[in-house]
Amino acid sequence: MRAVISDVPGTSWRLIAKVDVDEVEGPERLLRWVIGALAMVMLAASAFGVRLVWRASEARLALTAERAERSSRGLIETAVDGALRVDGHGRILDVNRSLCEMTGYSRAELLSMTLADVEDNLTPEAIASALARIKATGRMRFTTRWKRRDGTLIEFDATTSYTETDGEDVFFGFVRDLTDELRRNRQLERLNLFYRFMRDIEVGLREAREPAGMLRVYTETAVARAGPVLAWGGVLDPLSGEVDILAAAGTAAECARGLRITNDALRPEGQGPSGRALREGRTQVVNDFQSNGMTGPWHEQARRFDIRSNVSVPILVEGKVVGVIAVYAREPNFFDEAMVELVDESVRTLALAWAAAHHVQERDAERERRLASEDRYQRIFEFSWMPMQLHSLPDMDLVAVNSA
């Protein structure tokens, strides 16, 4: 209860007014409660609205991220270059279609492998060291070589980067196939070497006078200038049909020692490329030496000396096969069309020198026979017991008489 006392002017009276507090403050409290309730409702509505906006924004961000990821994945999946994701232990986590096509492996096969399974020349320790360097620098570019599913090799130009995802090391890599480009570059280098070899062999053959010397010049110059792992040359025995190897050079020259080659098609030694070259009189090329059936008897030696390719060229002198040149390389498919043509040309140069030397030998032999015949006649003329006279023709002038 609340009361107010007030004097009545001009009288001694006082006016007392009383009112119930609940009656006075009730509407005010109701108003405050209503205002408070409305404020709470508005706050709740605002919070709900903010939450809806936040969730809608979050959904849009998630959708945008998902679309970006799909787009990025689509770009990577359809990229011409190969792409892969690797963990800190070298395990392959993901690959794109191009990498599968480059290597010949399926996605499932690659995802079950590590880098050590596909790297040709890096040990697991070397791979771990390389990953550590990439992690330290953040990114790295280098060349590497992988083994395809069929056993052939592929050269890669690799660009890699490092990131950390959920506390785990992750490496992303993009690789570009350099095999054809490097093969063309190596082909040009080999052709340049063989052109120098052609020049040097022409000079060297001028000094040689017999087949053994010519074959030695050829094989040694071929290895020194063109770099094959082995080059040997032999002379064909026309009676036995076997080849006498007179010269061999290269890191695998030991392979030529004890090698038996014949032109007899019924013997295993005559069924290889050199035997066929002798028999058919034409060049034989084998660019898969370790798996070709024609070279079966020599597969063990080929694996021992890492021989992958071979060209065998008959030496033809005046249409006759007189010998054979065989050249071997460590690289598969080494002897392409251009290389074979150069080897053929070099052997033709050798054959011309061989023929010229043969003619010189025949001329010298004829001169020796003539001198020997003249010497015999001179001795007969001088020491005969019968009187002899020598007259010139047609004048019949007396030239000489013997002692009898």
Side-chain angles (χ1 to χ4, degrees), residues 82 84-86 115 119 130-135 137-144 146 157-163 170-175:
L84 71 160
R85 183 162 54 92
V86 180
L115 291 177
E119 276 283 357
L131 292 177
R133 290 197 302 273
I134 297 170
K135 180 177 179 180
T137 58
R139 60 185 299 131
M140 186 178 294
R141 183 175 180 179
F142 54 92
T143 57
T144 186
W146 279 26
D157 175 27
T159 302
T160 59
S161 61
Y162 165 79
T163 187
V170 178
F171 300 86
F172 293 91
F174 288 90
V175 295

Side-chain angles (χ1 to χ4, degrees), residues 142-366:
F142 54 92
T143 57
T144 186
R145 187 167 61 189
W146 279 26
K147 293 173 287 189
R148 288 191 179 98
R149 196 176 193 277
D150 61 5
T152 59
L153 301 178
I154 181 171
E155 304 273 357
F156 280 142
D157 175 27
T159 302
T160 59
S161 61
Y162 165 79
T163 187
E164 185 176 324
T165 303
D166 298 329
E168 297 290 335
D169 293 338
V170 178
F171 300 86
F172 293 91
F174 288 90
V175 295
R176 184 166 61 92
D177 186 357
L178 296 178
T179 308
D180 292 338
E181 181 181 338
L182 292 176
R183 183 182 293 119
R184 285 192 295 270
N185 291 340
R186 283 194 287 266
Q187 181 187 28
L188 288 175
E189 292 173 2
R190 292 197 303 265
L191 290 176
N192 288 332
L193 289 173
F194 260 89
Y195 280 125
R196 289 197 290 270
F197 159 65
M198 290 285 293
R199 179 195 62 200
D200 291 347
I201 196 173
E202 288 179 3
V203 174
L205 289 175
R206 293 172 191 164
E207 307 298 326
R209 292 290 180 268
E210 77 288 339
M214 294 179 187
L215 294 175
R216 185 168 56 253
V217 167
Y218 186 97
T219 56
E220 291 178 356
T221 306
V223 170
R225 284 301 188 187
V229 65
L230 170 63
W232 61 260
V235 176
L236 176 66
D237 184 337
L239 297 179
S240 67
E242 295 193 352
V243 173
D244 183 13
I245 297 177
L246 300 181
T251 56
E254 177 186 343
C255 182
R257 298 191 185 101
L259 188 65
R260 297 191 65 183
I261 301 295
T262 177
N263 62 1
D264 188 349
L266 300 179
R267 294 170 55 185
E269 298 89 346
Q271 296 171 6
S274 295
R276 291 185 62 176
L278 289 167
R279 191 165 55 253
E280 299 176 11
R282 58 189 180 92
T283 300
Q284 302 293 319
V285 180
V286 177
N287 275 319
D288 55 344
F289 198 95
Q290 295 186 16
S291 58
N292 193 295
M294 184 168 57
T295 58
W298 304 278
H299 282 176
E300 183 178 349
Q301 284 184 309
R303 285 189 289 270
R304 179 185 173 192
F305 293 99
D306 195 23
I307 291 172
R308 305 291 184 91
S309 302
N310 158 249
V311 60
S312 295
V313 185
I315 304 171
L316 293 168
V317 175
E318 297 180 350
K320 291 179 56 179
V321 176
V322 298
V324 64
I325 288 287
V327 184
Y328 304 80
R330 285 196 172 98
E331 183 180 339
N333 303 306
F334 184 90
F335 296 102
D336 56 20
E337 185 177 351
M339 188 64 66
V340 171
E341 178 56 34
L342 279 174
V343 177
D344 281 342
E345 182 63 28
S346 67
V347 175
R348 283 194 289 270
T349 301
L350 170 65
L352 288 174
W354 192 306
H358 179 68
H359 290 314
V360 169
Q361 289 175 350
E362 285 191 336
R363 184 191 63 196
D364 292 345
E366 178 61 29

Side-chain angles (χ1 to χ4, degrees), residues 90-117:
R91 289 189 291 263
I92 300 175
L93 303 177
D94 197 10
V95 296
N96 71 345
R97 185 186 310 159
S98 291
L99 190 63
C100 296
E101 293 172 352
M102 290 176 182
T103 61
Y105 291 105
S106 67
R107 186 187 299 272
E109 288 174 322
L110 285 173
L111 297 186
S112 68
M113 296 179 172
T114 67
L115 291 177
D117 296 323

Side-chain angles (χ1 to χ4, degrees), residues 9-24:
T11 69
S12 60
W13 293 86
R14 288 184 176 181
L15 180 64
I16 299 175
K18 295 180 180 180
V19 66
D20 189 352
V21 173
D22 291 336
E23 184 181 350
V24 174

